[in-house]
Amino acid sequence: MTKFSKTLLAVGFGLALSTLSAYAQAPKAAANNPPPASAVAAASELLALKKASSVYQNIVPTVIQRTKDAILQNNLNYQKDLDDVAVKLAGELASRKEDIGKAMAEIYATNFTEQELRDLIAFYKSPLGQKFLEQEPKSITGSLAYMNDWAAAFSNEVAAKFRSEMRARGKEI
């Protein structure tokens, strides 16, 4: 897996986890007054247009793999059994990723009015909205690449300044 893929996966998991965290921490009032089903449906349509599920598409197999790997560290002799269980669990739990999509739709339906969601849907269906959906991944990829390059160069600059300051104090690092 490339460094970018790992970064994108981490960003995706972060988004999914923060979404679920926000959902779990929603005020009790929101739980007592759930958004109307029509607003949730509009939010689901908006999220589908934005292809939001691509962010968490592989979350179930990834969590299963990470859990298996953690268990395996202390149980090396169970490798084959753990591999078999992982395959079984992947099949049994695959639909659980839908929990995230449902939660995201409810969060959007709580944070936006139904009319605002419909306006967003209209925007994303417009030529400019379609272009935005098409170009946004490229823009994010370019931005992440720039940030990685910038951080590496900046880190070198900061390290040089540390060395210079320490040299001024008579200490080589």
Side-chain angles (χ1 to χ4, degrees), residues 85-108:
V85 170
V87 170
K88 180 180 185 247
L89 292 177
E92 288 176 8
L93 302 173
S95 66
R96 291 293 301 276
K97 72 177 179 233
E98 294 170 16
D99 298 348
I100 297 170
K102 289 175 185 173
M104 287 175 70
E106 288 184 19
I107 291 166
Y108 272 69

Side-chain angles (χ1 to χ4, degrees), residues 15-54:
L15 175 62
L17 293 175
S18 66
T19 298
L20 290 178
S21 175
Y23 182 70
Q25 296 173 6
K28 295 283 182 194
N32 294 335
N33 298 317
S38 57
V40 174
S44 294
E45 182 179 353
L46 174 65
L47 291 168
L49 281 168
K50 292 179 57 66
K51 296 179 175 69
S53 65
S54 66

Side-chain angles (χ1 to χ4, degrees), residues 149-163:
D149 293 345
W150 181 91
F154 185 62
S155 177
N156 290 336
E157 179 183 337
V158 170
K161 289 188 181 287
F162 264 102
R163 285 190 294 278

